[in-house]
Amino acid sequence: MWKLLKFFGFVLKAAFWLSLLFLVACLIALYILERDIPAPLVQRLATELSSEDLLVRIDRATFSLKSGLRLHRIKALPKRVADTALVSADEVAIDLSLRPKQALADRIRGVTIKNVSMPALPPKQADKKDQPEPLLPETAPFPVTIENADILGIKASRVSATVSLQPKRVNASDITIQWPANAFSMSAAGHVSLDFSTRLVTGHVKGQALPENLLPLFEVLRAHGAIRQINSFSKLARPVDADYTFDVNIDNTDFAMILALDVGPCAYNNVPMEYAKGT
């Protein structure tokens, strides 16, 4: 009888440890392995992100405790316009906190976006005065990192910022831009805000750049005066110190900007100059 009880005790003890090991293995698998989110849920998310003017497509989505939520091959296409995607990205990774009793506004710990492309400004839209403005969720500030960006012709190897959302406003502060590798070490910093009440994107960027870093943007904006001035400079001895303030209307793409340049030693219309400054 004692041997039988001892045997049952051994079996229960072994079952307990096996169950514990299985639970630990499951937790490790959940932490490491990415699982595909069902396609209907992905489609519902894309529908929620779409609007009257934009159609959002998400190829697939995955989730793991280690990597958080990952959206793969995302595109935002303008409706009623036969054109390429307005914005696209290979991957958007959202690091989420799963701590209990934490406010929803504080759960986003960071966002990483890879290979972002925005080739042109949005098409002009009809008057939106009688239509409700979009309402965003309110969040605490969280870090955003973009790896390899091509936005309106401006190419950057890395962009980092601190972003916060309010119901009618998006703020991006502490923006740092690293240009693609070249003979000079250059960067720029600034801030940008999108206000749905005023329908304006406003911002300020200050740093160093070469003409080829800025010309594609001015070509998209059709800033012909700025293009002529920049093309007048040649034989630059160093990167240009630039101070750029702008605002853009998101409905009709009208814009205003102030661009201050400190070019340093150069040639202007092939005339050598010790330095050149202007706004």
Side-chain angles (χ1 to χ4, degrees):
M1 187 66 179
W2 171 249
K3 290 183 179 181
L4 182 61
L5 293 175
K6 188 176 181 180
F7 173 74
F8 277 120
F10 173 79
V11 171
L12 292 174
K13 187 176 181 180
F16 170 77
W17 284 110
L18 286 174
S19 300
L20 184 60
L21 289 174
F22 178 75
L23 179 60
V24 171
C26 289
L27 291 175
I28 293 175
L30 287 174
Y31 183 77
I32 297 176
L33 300 178
E34 284 191 336
R35 304 291 297 178
D36 280 323
I37 295 176
L41 294 179
V42 177
Q43 180 58 44
R44 183 173 179 179
L45 174 61
T47 301
E48 291 295 327
L49 293 174
S50 299
S51 67
E52 182 182 347
D53 301 304
L54 289 178
L55 173 66
V56 175
R57 293 178 179 171
I58 303 173
D59 187 69
R60 57 189 285 262
T62 58
F63 180 80
S64 73
L65 294 178
K66 179 181 180 180
S67 304
L69 176 65
R70 290 180 182 267
L71 308 178
H72 302 268
R73 291 179 290 280
I74 310 100
K75 293 183 179 180
L77 301 99
K79 293 182 178 178
R80 299 180 294 275
V81 177
D83 207 347
T84 57
L86 178 62
V87 182
S88 64
D90 285 351
E91 181 182 283
V92 177
I94 306 173
D95 185 9
L96 298 170
S97 172
L98 300 178
R99 287 187 296 178
K101 298 183 180 180
Q102 188 174 22
L104 291 176
D106 299 329
R107 288 195 177 274
I108 300 179
R109 295 188 298 199
V111 176
T112 301
I113 309 173
K114 296 182 178 179
N115 301 325
V116 178
S117 176
M118 182 178 177
L121 288 169
K124 291 188 177 182
Q125 301 175 9
D127 190 0
K128 302 289 183 178
K129 291 182 178 179
D130 297 331
Q131 298 183 11
E133 298 170 353
L135 292 178
L136 301 174
E138 188 164 352
T139 69
F142 56 89
V144 173
T145 301
I146 301 176
E147 299 175 359
N148 299 319
D150 186 348
I151 301 175
L152 301 181
I154 293 184
K155 293 179 170 60
S157 57
R158 182 181 176 88
V159 179
S160 60
T162 299
V163 175
S164 62
L165 304 182
Q166 298 174 2
K168 296 184 179 182
R169 189 177 179 88
V170 180
N171 294 309
S173 58
D174 302 324
I175 299 175
T176 301
I177 303 170
Q178 295 180 3
W179 303 115
N182 52 47
F184 301 100
S185 177
M186 303 179 299
S187 64
H191 61 83
V192 176
S193 296
L194 166 58
D195 193 319
F196 289 104
S197 298
T198 62
R199 314 296 293 175
L200 290 177
V201 178
T202 59
H204 174 250
V205 180
K206 184 177 182 180
Q208 289 186 316
L210 292 172
E212 54 262 35
N213 298 129
L214 302 176
L215 279 173
L217 172 63
F218 296 140
E219 290 171 356
V220 170
L221 296 176
R222 297 183 178 89
H224 302 298
I227 294 172
R228 284 194 300 270
Q229 289 298 320
I230 291 176
N231 285 333
S232 297
F233 292 97
S234 61
K235 300 178 182 179
L236 303 179
R238 61 168 175 81
V240 177
D241 292 325
D243 193 316
Y244 181 44
T245 302
F246 64 91
D247 61 71
V248 181
N249 186 294
I250 62 177
D251 291 329
N252 56 28
T253 66
D254 288 344
F255 71 93
M257 68 177 184
I258 300 174
L259 177 62
L261 300 175
D262 181 354
V263 182
C266 63
Y268 184 75
N269 290 330
N270 295 320
V271 178
M273 306 182 70
E274 292 185 4
Y275 67 90
K277 293 183 179 181
T279 301

